[in-house]
Amino acid sequence: MYQDIIKEICDEKDISYKLISNNYLIMLQKDNKTKFIWGHKFDLNNHAIGLVLDDKYAIYDMLKNNDIPVIEHSIIYKNGSKIKYAKNLNTKKYYYDLFLKYNKNIVLKINNGSCGNGVYHIKSFNKFIAISNKLFKKHISLSVSPFVKIDCEYRIIVLKKRVMLIYGKKPPVVIGDGKTSLKDLLLEFNYNYFKNKKVKNYVPKKGEFYNYSFKFNLSKGAIVTEVKDEKEKLLEIVNDIINKLDINFCSIDIVKTENTFKVLEINSGVMINKYIKLVPNGRNIAKEIYKCAIMEMFK
């Protein structure tokens, strides 16, 4: 669907469209200019800021050094790593000190992951070590954050200092009524996601909370919610980001926890695939955003 939308825009705007590099890279040409879309990354951000946005710890450090509220992240490297900048960040003692610092309740992430993949909520140091070792087989570094109770997560898509889209994300948490099965409760919450999912076969007690996932990703069963009272505070943070940092096209995730708003991460790849499926007129909204981004590329 995503590539179809890009193709439609190019046809409408008389832009040459060609899939190359095993159909993952899109080459666009118009008026003797050549631009590229790599996956969901558009030819708008400079290379350095793009690399920062693809690294969760680097994003944290960048925002912290610009006095922008952000969820704390620490970086760890494989035990014994000889990489120069891994010094003192690659020992089991350092891992354990972090585990204690974050009250033995952490979120471990792949540093360059997306869509909630490679994200783990961990309360055991042995599990921390086991999962880290598994992830270090494919990744140089990992990010560690304190686990915080998130009331809501918000996504804001920004293009050239303009907010193009803002919405909330509600995680798959259901409350039992003592009569309805867990499967039916989850189907009522998000039918398209849970219709093919296997879940526990039981009836939750009245008032019982069932948290299917602590993740707020639409790709993991969360749903879109409207932003109301929080909008002013969210825009305050977003405007601070786009006024201080040279980011031209991105999606910003901000979380609300205990009445405090903090940035969780910023993504250089602007993905609206799940939003399209969950929201009426979602395809048209996505198409307008991508159209504006493509036209900015050719200015």
Side-chain angles (χ1 to χ4, degrees):
M1 180 181 293
Y2 165 69
Q3 289 186 347
D4 291 339
I5 291 174
I6 302 300
K7 180 69 166 60
E8 282 181 21
I9 294 167
C10 291
D11 289 343
E12 293 169 7
K13 296 297 180 180
D14 195 27
I15 297 171
S16 170
Y17 169 103
K18 186 176 182 180
L19 286 170
I20 60 175
S21 190
N22 295 320
N23 295 336
Y24 193 75
L25 179 61
I26 304 174
M27 183 170 70
L28 308 181
Q29 295 177 312
K30 183 179 176 68
D31 299 331
N32 295 319
K33 290 183 180 180
T34 300
K35 299 291 180 179
F36 296 93
I37 302 173
W38 176 267
H40 289 78
K41 303 175 191 293
F42 286 62
D43 200 351
L44 284 166
N45 295 317
N46 70 60
H47 184 60
I49 199 68
L51 290 175
V52 171
L53 299 182
D54 289 340
D55 185 302
K56 289 177 171 54
Y57 177 72
I59 294 169
Y60 158 74
D61 233 9
M62 176 183 71
L63 295 175
K64 180 183 177 183
N65 278 279
N66 280 278
D67 298 317
I68 295 167
V70 57
I71 294 291
E72 187 172 357
H73 286 66
S74 297
I75 194 167
I76 64 172
Y77 295 89
K78 185 177 181 179
N79 184 229
S81 172
K82 302 301 182 183
I83 298 173
K84 184 177 180 180
Y85 43 79
K87 186 177 180 181
N88 300 323
L89 307 174
N90 59 351
T91 66
K92 287 189 177 181
K93 181 183 183 308
Y94 173 67
Y95 302 166
Y96 190 67
D97 288 345
L98 270 183
F99 191 61
L100 294 181
K101 176 183 176 182
Y102 295 146
N103 298 315
K104 300 182 180 180
N105 192 4
I106 64 170
V107 175
L108 179 67
K109 305 177 185 179
I110 295 172
N111 230 1
N112 60 351
S114 62
C115 299
N117 297 319
V119 179
Y120 301 87
H121 179 198
I122 299 172
K123 294 183 178 182
S124 156
F125 185 67
N126 287 337
K127 187 175 180 182
F128 179 18
I129 294 299
I131 295 177
S132 297
N133 287 339
K134 177 183 176 182
L135 295 176
F136 276 135
K137 291 178 181 178
K138 294 183 178 180
H139 303 278
I140 295 174
S141 62
L142 303 173
S143 180
V144 182
S145 298
F147 179 82
V148 295
K149 184 180 181 301
I150 296 172
D151 296 328
C152 194
E153 182 176 318
Y154 307 90
R155 171 154 292 186
I156 303 95
I157 294 177
V158 174
L159 172 65
K160 288 284 188 174
K161 298 188 182 297
R162 289 186 294 154
V163 172
M164 306 295 291
L165 178 64
I166 180 169
Y167 61 88
K169 293 185 279 185
K170 183 178 180 181
V173 177
V174 294
I175 304 174
D177 60 7
K179 298 179 291 184
T180 309
S181 70
L182 178 60
K183 177 74 172 183
D184 286 339
L185 288 171
L186 290 170
L187 286 172
E188 184 179 348
F189 177 84
N190 186 345
Y191 179 82
N192 287 329
Y193 182 82
F194 287 104
K195 62 183 178 182
N196 296 318
K197 294 287 181 181
K198 290 184 178 180
V199 297
K200 295 179 181 178
N201 184 25
Y202 84 106
V203 175
K205 298 176 182 178
K206 187 174 182 178
E208 178 184 347
F209 280 77
Y210 181 84
N211 190 341
Y212 180 82
S213 173
F214 72 96
K215 302 174 185 178
F216 283 73
N217 304 85
L218 299 185
S219 61
K220 304 297 182 184
I223 59 174
V224 174
T225 61
E226 185 181 356
V227 177
K228 296 180 180 178
D229 298 338
E230 301 87 355
K231 190 171 184 179
E232 183 177 346
K233 182 60 181 179
L234 295 172
L235 292 179
E236 179 184 322
I237 295 173
V238 169
N239 286 330
D240 197 20
I241 293 171
I242 60 182
N243 287 329
K244 289 180 176 177
L245 305 170
D246 185 23
I247 307 174
N248 289 318
F249 192 35
C250 68
S251 61
I252 302 170
D253 287 343
I254 297 175
V255 297
K256 178 184 178 184
T257 172
E258 296 181 348
N259 295 317
T260 299
F261 292 83
K262 293 183 179 182
V263 178
L264 179 64
E265 61 183 50
I266 305 177
N267 299 288
S268 64
V270 179
M271 300 178 66
I272 323 177
N273 301 21
K274 295 297 180 182
Y275 179 89
I276 290 172
K277 296 178 179 179
L278 292 172
V279 176
N281 203 36
R283 191 181 191 279
N284 289 337
I285 293 171
K287 183 177 177 180
E288 181 62 23
I289 292 170
Y290 289 138
K291 180 171 68 176
C292 290
I294 289 171
M295 298 314 295
E296 284 288 347
M297 285 162 50
F298 283 97
K299 282 187 176 179

